[in-house]
Structures are given as structure tokens and as C-alpha cells.
Amino acid sequence: MRLRVRDGRIIDPAHNVDSVADVLIEDGRIVGLEPATDPDRGSTQGDAQVIDATGKIVCPGFIDMHVHFRDPGYEYKEDIETGSRAAAAGGFTTVCCMPNTDPVIDNGAVASYVRKRAQDAGVIDVLPFGSITKRQAGEELSEMGELVRAGCVGFSDDGKPVMRADVMRNALSYSRIFNAPIISHCEDLNLTRDGQMHEGYYSFVFGLKGIPAEAEETMVARDLLLARLTGGRLHVCHVSTRGSLELIRRAKAEGIAVTCEVTPHHLTLTDEVVGSYDTNTKVNPPLRSEDHVQALRQALSEGLIDCIATDHAPHHLESKDCEYAAAAPGIAGLETAVAVIMDRLVHSGALDITKMVSLFTVGPARVLGLDRGTLSPGARADITIIDPDRVKRVNPETFNSKARNTPFAGMELRGWPWMTISEGRVVAHDGSVG
Ligand SMILES: [Zn+2]
């Protein structure tokens, strides 16, 4: 099976490629690039299927290292097949799913189940994270070796932060042995209890209990100290405050092995939108004030942040169709991530397009040590093609995800994923999958 993606603008930040060329694919692998100026172009691949990518941006397949697929246990919210379809529609070819399922991914059997279900769905690739602790209870480390052998690429108790410093210390020590990051959802639960939104001016005005920035920052500080103590590999998920960024900046300068991610919603929405009392604005960590959002944007363009991740958190209508305090936190983000970043950051001039592509490709690949995120010859033929000028309104009713929970509903955005190619097969085209 041969494929030629013709005349697109290729952006492959791993090798500083930015030029108009064809991408040649054979049997699920990248064969190479042929510049548009090559006089012999096309002569070697007579029977290839041709995709005309004129005017489009052709990138390595996008990687989202933070999704919740709710399978096993909560398939009514999302299952691995619908999650995979949402990922493909959103331009992603590899996603990593969090272990807060039922049962928890704390042993090889559950990890193997996730891998098998994703392969059966046959849409994109799903790599699981194992939990740091058994049942995510925060007390006893899970079978980390067994989890790695079953295909886990990192460890996280996301959503249930590891409150015991001694347990986190041991996890970070083991991360060296398995060469897999400990992905920390940094939140001191004693400081966030009953909190509904960011603590500040608007929490006072709206009369909702606040969550201080320090609830995140104290845990970032603790985990950085433990990473320094152990030499372990720490990845801080969904960083949302200026103070966290300062701590990470200092730690990186000091040589501590830390990486971090930021979500599209924390980059583009402030706590002011909570005033709508739309429960789709409830998320954990909460949407922060303008000052924090500006700090995140600055850190993103400076290169302090390693990747953009969605924290795709699909919920059933019942979990959101209720009063603010009772609503479950989370945004179904896979299908809007690229368009939100393109429209709000790239088209506005806040973020360079090459930088954006690296944050979705080589960035997460490096964090996880994956042999992906590039269009090098021999690599998996995972390709994301973006139409930078396509304008479309966000309509959750057309989502491939089972969930509809998004604060971006109704927004008109410019720059959407146009086609997703997974291992040499076209799996999504203009939002439709299959
Ligand atoms: Zn989290």
C-alpha cells in the first residue's frame, strides 16, 4: 500500500524541516520526502494513492499524552473506541490514557486490555499509563515492572494526587529503573477541599469557594525536591500557575529531570468565564486569572513547556447538568484542541506554527521516550494535516466522543485538522472518522 501526500507545507520540527514537498508512505512507514522542485518527482511511485495537500500543513502525527477514556468501568462516558475516534477527528495519532478506570490500571492485565481494545478499534494508537499506587489509593506502589512489560509508558495517579511524600519518593526512585516518567497531578487536597474555582477576585464576586494557586505550587515544589533527591523523572501535568512555572524554570536550570505540559483551555480561558455558571467551565486545576494565563503563554513560546496535552475528560450529561458545586470537573478536549490553539495562539501571533507543531509532536515524544513525532524515513507513517484557514464553529453535537462537555461550544475557530493518517491509513477527514 503506497500513499503520496502531495504539495503540502511540511513542518517537522524534530529535523528543522519547513518546506513544500511530498511525503511518501509505504506499508505503514514513511519512505521519505520528495521536494516539489525534484524533476523526477512521482516517477518511482506510479501506483500510489495521491492526497493533494496544497495549502495545507503536513506534520508528524500529533501525540496527546493526557486523556481519560473511562474504559474499563465508565464506558457510558467514553470507551476506547469512541475516544480513539475523537482523537483521530482531532488530529491525534497517539494518545496516552490515564489509569483512573475501574478497575484501575494497576496491573498488567488491565493494561493489556486497554492495548487490545485500542488495536481492535483500529483507529489510532493508545498507550496506557499505569497507576503509581495500587487502586490509586496512595499507599502502596503498583507493580511497575509488570505494567511496563504490558505496554505502559509512564505512571500517574492523576486526579488522586499522591499525598504521601515517602510514597512519591519511592515512585521517583523506581522511575529511574524503568526509565519512565512519574506524571504528577500536583494538588494539595487539604488546600483545595470543596473548592469550585480559582481563588481570587472572581471567586469572591461569584460567591464560589476558591482554590488557591498555592494548592498546586506547594505540590510542584515538593515533587521537584523529591525529583532532586532521587534523580527520578518527574512530569508535571496541566501546569496552571505562574508560581509553578517559576519553580519548574529554576529546577530545569538546576538540571533536575522535570518536564511539563499545559492544556488548551488553561492557555485560552480565564476564571472570568465561570461567571456564566456554565458547568463546562469547571475543570481541575481550575481556570486561572489573566495573570496566570499570560504567564503560561509566555512560558509556552519561551520553550519552558514541553508539550500541550488536552486532559480530555469526557462526562455524561448528568455530571454537568446540575448546580456548579455538584458538577464533575473536566472538558472533552480532543476534538477542539488543535483549532483552539491555531485560532487563539497561532493566528493571533502569540505562538509560532513550528513551535506549536513541536509541542504536539517531538515534545511529548521526548517526554515519554517514544520513537515518534517525526517524519524521518522508517518512522511510523503517522501524519496530521492541518487546514490553517478552515473556519468552523464548534458544535459538540457532531463530536465523535460520547461526551458534549466543552466550554468552547458555539465558538468560531480558524485552523482545523483536515486529515489524520495512522500507520499509513487515512482514519479521519474533515472531522469524520472511518
Ligand atoms: Zn489531572
Side-chain angles (χ1 to χ4, degrees), residues 182-386:
I182 300 296
I183 296 146
S184 182
H185 167 122
C186 290
E187 175 185 359
D188 186 315
L189 295 172
N190 299 307
L191 279 173
T192 57
R193 193 165 294 143
D194 302 326
Q196 300 298 321
M197 65 175 293
H198 174 62
E199 182 175 303
Y201 173 77
Y202 287 111
S203 64
F204 176 73
V205 170
F206 304 151
L208 292 171
K209 186 162 189 310
I211 297 170
E214 286 77 3
E216 176 175 310
E217 293 157 4
T218 52
M219 286 298 259
V220 170
R222 184 202 74 173
D223 286 353
L224 288 170
L225 292 172
L226 294 174
R228 184 172 68 185
L229 174 67
T230 57
R233 284 184 53 200
L234 176 68
H235 177 79
V236 182
C237 33
H238 42 53
V239 173
S240 72
T241 80
R242 182 181 284 277
S244 297
L245 293 167
E246 282 314 312
L247 291 162
I248 292 166
R249 190 189 310 278
R250 287 213 299 260
K252 282 192 172 188
E254 208 188 307
I256 294 173
V258 59
T259 53
C260 66
E261 71 191 30
V262 63
T263 72
H265 45 274
H266 287 111
L267 285 164
T268 55
L269 299 172
T270 69
D271 56 349
E272 190 179 356
V273 302
V274 178
S276 63
Y277 296 97
D278 174 0
T279 55
N280 290 316
T281 63
K282 187 169 175 179
V283 59
N284 190 17
L287 299 173
R288 302 289 185 184
S289 63
E290 182 68 30
D291 176 57
H292 292 291
V293 174
Q294 288 308 325
L296 292 174
R297 288 181 170 212
Q298 179 74 24
L300 193 71
S301 51
E302 276 174 13
L304 180 67
I305 291 167
D306 298 273
C307 53
I308 297 175
T310 65
D311 191 8
H312 176 73
H315 283 296
H316 194 253
L317 187 61
E318 279 164 18
S319 313
K320 287 289 191 182
D321 193 13
C322 55
E323 59 182 303
Y324 208 87
I331 289 171
L334 276 171
E335 286 166 88
T336 53
V338 170
V340 165
I341 298 295
M342 281 296 292
D343 185 272
R344 295 301 165 94
L345 273 70
V346 175
H347 284 309
S348 75
L351 183 66
D352 173 70
I353 180 83
T354 306
K355 185 76 202 151
M356 180 199 93
V357 175
S358 77
L359 287 157
F360 278 117
T361 58
V362 65
R366 278 187 192 141
V367 171
L368 297 168
L370 300 177
D371 184 16
R372 299 184 189 191
T374 165
L375 297 173
S376 303
R380 265 174 77 101
D382 289 345
I383 297 175
T384 297
I385 308 178
I386 294 170

